[in-house]
Amino acid sequence: MFLLQNPLPLAAAPLFAVKDIASFVGGGLVGVLINQFYSRRQARTEVSLKLIDHYFEMYGDLEAANTYLAGPLPVPLPELTQEEAKALNIVRKVADWFDTVGRLYGSGYANRRLLDEVGIGDLMIQFRRQLENHPRNCNAHTQWRNLFAYPGKPD
């Protein structure tokens, strides 16, 4: 029955079968690679959109942290008051969040271009400068390494 459907000699039939299998496997492999590329791209965008949503949720905390960091402090520094301790906790919360964003940015799990277009990179740089210049910066360089590693520009 095979000879009736395929007029080629029997020796040539396995060659065509191998070519068909190779093109099927090769095409499937290319499809898998294209699918992986777009899936990773979509996942990075989803992570970035979640970060942007979280930014809007914590906008008040960011403003409070920036206000505290920009405010003048008397020299020498007095003992830490309860109000200032609350403000420092908000600063730590915002720094933790920016550190997480910096980690996702640096590892490639977030869409770098989207974060920078929205302005989160610039906000991180501004926050980082204020934190560095504040006398009570909470050992910022050792606690939030990813915040300080964030370049603010896409590769």
Side-chain angles (χ1 to χ4, degrees):
M1 179 120 181
F2 177 75
L3 291 175
L4 295 177
Q5 292 176 353
N6 191 354
L8 298 173
L10 285 178
L15 180 63
F16 280 107
V18 169
K19 284 184 180 179
D20 289 341
I21 291 172
S23 65
F24 176 73
V25 169
L29 182 60
V30 170
V32 166
L33 293 175
I34 290 171
N35 187 24
Q36 283 284 51
F37 172 77
Y38 283 107
S39 295
R40 286 183 183 171
R41 187 174 179 181
Q42 182 180 4
R44 283 193 302 267
T45 300
E46 287 176 9
V47 166
S48 297
L49 290 174
K50 288 179 183 179
L51 290 172
I52 292 167
D53 285 343
H54 194 261
Y55 162 73
F56 287 121
E57 290 173 8
M58 63 178 289
Y59 184 78
D61 289 338
L62 179 61
E63 287 301 311
N66 283 335
T67 301
Y68 171 75
L69 292 173
L73 285 177
V75 177
L77 288 174
E79 289 293 319
L80 194 63
T81 64
Q82 189 172 3
E83 261 186 52
E84 192 175 6
K86 287 181 183 178
L88 277 173
N89 281 338
I90 292 172
V91 168
R92 286 184 182 106
K93 176 182 176 183
V94 171
D96 286 342
W97 183 76
F98 276 139
D99 191 61
T100 302
V101 172
R103 165 78 60 140
L104 293 170
Y105 181 99
S107 64
Y109 287 114
N111 184 327
R112 299 171 179 191
R113 186 171 290 131
L114 181 59
L115 290 177
D116 286 333
E117 285 177 5
V118 171
I120 289 180
D122 293 336
L123 290 170
M124 285 179 71
I125 292 169
Q126 176 189 359
F127 181 80
R128 179 174 65 199
R129 286 184 186 141
Q130 287 180 331
L131 189 60
E132 282 178 314
N133 296 329
H134 197 271
R136 289 192 175 145
N137 65 14
C138 314
N139 298 320
H141 284 281
T142 58
Q143 287 189 14
W144 301 294
R145 290 188 177 123
N146 295 303
L147 168 61
F148 287 92
Y150 184 87
K153 301 279 183 206
D155 289 340

